[in-house]
C-alpha cells in the first residue's frame, strides 16, 4: 500500500510539473516563427486523429507516468541519495523537454 501511495505522489508531481511548465513557458513572450501547417490542426473543429490523441496524452501524462514508475521502483530498494539524484535528473529532463519547442526556434539551432 505504501508503494502505491509513493507512486501516486510521483504521478501527481509529474502532472503538476507538466502543468506548471506548460503554463509558464506559454506565457513567456517568445518570438514567433512562421510555420506552415497542412490540413486541419485545430482539435476543436476537426476530428482528432488517433496519432494526435496518443501524442497529446503522452506529452501530458508522460512525466507523471515516469515519476510514478520511478517512485514505485525506488521505494525501499534504492538509497535516498540515489533516488534524489534520479528524481532531480528526471525533473531537469522534463524541463528541457518542455522548453525545447519554445527555445530551439528562438536560438536557431534547427
Amino acid at each position: 500500500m505504501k508503494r502505491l501511495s509513493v507512486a501516486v505522489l510521483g504521478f501527481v508531481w509529474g502532472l503538476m510539473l507538466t502543468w506548471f511548465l506548460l503554463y509558464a513557458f506559454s506565457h513567456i513572450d517568445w518570438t514567433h516563427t512562421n510555420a506552415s501547417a497542412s490540413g486541419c490542426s485545430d482539435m476543436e473543429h476537426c476530428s482528432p486523429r488517433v496519432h494526435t490523441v496518443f501524442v497529446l496524452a503522452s506529452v501530458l501524462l508522460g512525466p507523471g507516468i515516469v515519476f510514478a514508475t520511478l517512485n514505485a521502483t525506488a521505494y525501499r530498494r534504492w538509497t535516498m541519495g540515489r533516488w534524489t539524484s534520479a528524481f532531480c535528473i528526471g525533473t531537469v529532463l522534463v524541463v528541457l523537454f518542455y522548453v525545447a519547442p519554445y527555445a530551439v526556434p528562438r536560438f536557431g539551432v534547427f
Side-chain angles (χ1 to χ4, degrees), residues 8-48:
V8 168
L9 287 175
F11 186 73
V12 169
W13 168 253
L15 291 180
M16 297 216 19
L17 183 65
T18 299
W19 174 82
F20 174 74
L21 292 174
L22 289 175
Y23 181 81
F25 292 148
S26 68
H27 282 77
I28 296 175
D29 189 24
W30 301 96
T31 58
H32 298 284
T33 58
N34 293 333
S36 61
S38 61
C40 186
S41 60
D42 186 9
M43 287 188 72
E44 182 179 351
H45 297 103
C46 303
S47 62

Side-chain angles (χ1 to χ4, degrees), residues 15-101:
L15 291 180
M16 297 216 19
L17 183 65
T18 299
W19 174 82
F20 174 74
L21 292 174
L22 289 175
Y23 181 81
F25 292 148
S26 68
H27 282 77
I28 296 175
D29 189 24
W30 301 96
T31 58
H32 298 284
T33 58
N34 293 333
S36 61
S38 61
C40 186
S41 60
D42 186 9
M43 287 188 72
E44 182 179 351
H45 297 103
C46 303
S47 62
R49 297 185 182 104
V50 173
H51 179 266
T52 306
V53 172
F54 177 73
V55 169
L56 182 65
S58 298
V59 168
L60 295 178
L61 299 176
I65 294 170
V66 167
F67 283 113
T69 306
L70 173 70
N71 282 357
T73 303
Y75 182 72
R76 300 246 176 142
R77 293 182 188 168
W78 294 1
T79 63
M80 185 60 83
R82 184 176 176 194
W83 176 82
T84 304
S85 298
F87 198 80
C88 290
I89 290 170
T91 301
V92 168
L93 289 175
V94 169
V95 170
L96 291 175
F97 174 73
Y98 284 115
V99 79

